Amino acid sequence: MASPALADEAAGPVPPQERERRGAVLLEVSPPALDASMYGVRLDIAPSMEGPFSFGLMGRAGQWGNSLGAKTRFEGVGGSEIKLNYAVGADARYTLGSFANGTLRPFVGLTAGFEEFVTRSGKGPSEAATTAAFLEPAAGLMWRPGAGRVGLSARVGPGFTFTDVRNLEVQAGDLRLKPVYPTASLGLLVVL
């Protein structure tokens, strides 16, 4: 993500010196993912078009009924429903290289932030909530055909919950937020 798209074709080619000075804004939108979210957004800023670093913010949220995401994040799910109320954090990425004229760009990243989960038994009202800090290192790959402004961004890695890892008491039993969990997502990438 740190090496954004080329200039518009109508504007003509951008000299290498100019590309090094120009930055870009990178927007990534994710559908349901393994982190219990139903949708997520990342907004990164790359200081230069060809530089390897980008930094930004992320947000994600969930909804009731995401059972796969709940099982990756909690132990003892049983008949309870869990919803990711929100997750917000800061994001940093380092692009490892550029292949096939910029079409493929592997990267490593790190996201840190806070998240809140709520839970209920059946279709009743929310019964308990927990807020935790998380840290998610990731390896990923950006695919932008022809190094254009639109592509896909895939990432995978472990996640670590390191505060307020407590039991949630609900009628169906106790739930425990896992201290280590898998993360994986695929998102639409747009370079603005």
Side-chain angles (χ1 to χ4, degrees), residues 49 151 164:
M49 290 188 94
D164 195 17

Side-chain angles (χ1 to χ4, degrees), residues 5-95:
L6 302 174
D8 290 331
E9 296 299 325
V14 178
Q17 312 90 304
E18 194 62 30
R19 297 177 89 204
E20 189 61 36
R21 287 193 296 261
R22 291 179 55 188
V25 176
L26 309 147
L27 175 66
E28 184 180 326
V29 180
S30 300
L34 203 56
D35 57 19
S37 66
M38 292 304 288
Y39 52 89
V41 175
R42 290 178 192 271
L43 186 65
D44 280 12
I45 295 175
S48 72
M49 290 188 94
E50 298 301 326
F53 290 101
S54 68
F55 307 93
L57 301 173
M58 60 74 61
R60 58 188 184 222
Q63 67 184 32
W64 298 112
N66 185 0
S67 61
L68 178 61
K71 288 176 182 173
T72 63
R73 299 303 308 273
F74 284 85
E75 296 172 356
V77 173
S80 301
E81 285 192 298
I82 300 161
K83 178 177 105 170
L84 173 64
N85 230 14
Y86 68 85
V88 292
D91 183 52
R93 301 179 201 204
Y94 180 79
T95 302

Side-chain angles (χ1 to χ4, degrees), residues 42 45 74 113 133 144 148 153 160 168 187:
R42 290 178 192 271
I45 295 175
F74 284 85
R144 292 186 3 241
S153 177
F160 303 94
L168 297 178

Side-chain angles (χ1 to χ4, degrees), residues 122-139:
K123 302 294 182 189
S126 298
E127 298 177 18
T130 185
T131 304
F134 66 88
L135 187 67
E136 297 176 350

